[in-house]
Amino acid sequence: MAKLSVRDLDTSGKRVFVRVDFNTPLTEEGAIRDDSRIRAALPTINHLLNNKAKVILASHLGKAKGKPDPRWTMRPVAERLSQLLGRDVILAPDCIGPEVARLVKEAPAGTVVLLENLRFHPGEMENDLTFARELANLAD
């Protein structure tokens, strides 16, 4: 059986959830030291954008342990990704919840939404089914 790729899917006009590895090394000041993990995701992100998908990106960063920690915000990643893509990347205020669901729903096709750090929720480390369902409900 052949392995499917994102290129094998019809993503046009769809909300597509992509789990990426943006756990990049940061300086003490919170600046990205090495953006190679972000660059590695660009072909997939660009493919989805070229197909008019709404791209929802999710990652963890650092050692946040089930609660918000400003040292581990995804803001530097969103800023660097925006530079690399040459377009705005929306940083969601959280990774789940009604505000995030509304933001994703109202964003136009061709938008990139980066969810806030998954590790800000204990459910991410515990493989919690309710947490996983909330993430899945953001996408088609």
Side-chain angles (χ1 to χ4, degrees):
M1 177 180 209
K3 183 177 172 183
L4 289 177
S5 153
V6 70
R7 286 169 178 69
D8 299 317
L9 304 172
D10 177 14
T11 58
S12 179
K14 303 274 196 290
R15 295 170 297 150
V16 180
F17 185 93
V18 183
R19 178 62 159 95
V20 289
D21 182 3
F22 287 166
N23 190 21
T24 60
L26 302 174
T27 66
E28 288 293 320
E29 297 78 30
I32 294 173
R33 285 189 301 159
D34 178 359
D35 67 0
S36 58
R37 291 181 179 192
I38 299 169
R39 288 179 181 277
L42 292 177
T44 297
I45 296 166
N46 281 318
H47 172 77
L48 292 168
L49 291 172
N50 290 337
N51 284 304
K52 308 290 187 265
K54 191 181 307 186
V55 183
I56 305 157
L57 301 173
S59 181
H60 77 273
L61 178 64
K63 304 211 185 283
K65 296 182 179 171
K67 61 183 183 209
D69 183 333
R71 293 176 299 167
W72 305 117
T73 180
M74 298 300 292
R75 183 166 308 285
V77 174
E79 291 169 358
R80 182 63 183 137
L81 183 58
S82 182
Q83 292 170 347
L84 292 170
L85 290 172
R87 66 171 64 210
D88 288 339
V89 170
I90 299 169
L91 177 61
D94 202 341
C95 59
I96 58 172
E99 187 177 356
V100 176
R102 181 187 51 75
L103 184 140
V104 169
K105 181 180 178 184
E106 293 176 359
T111 299
V112 178
V113 177
L114 176 61
L115 303 179
E116 187 51 276
N117 195 336
L118 295 174
R119 294 259 168 100
F120 286 0
H121 287 271
E124 198 271 340
M125 296 282 289
E126 297 166 1
N127 292 320
D128 180 75
L129 187 57
T130 302
F131 180 71
R133 282 188 181 126
E134 282 198 64
L135 289 171
N137 285 337
L138 295 172
D140 293 312

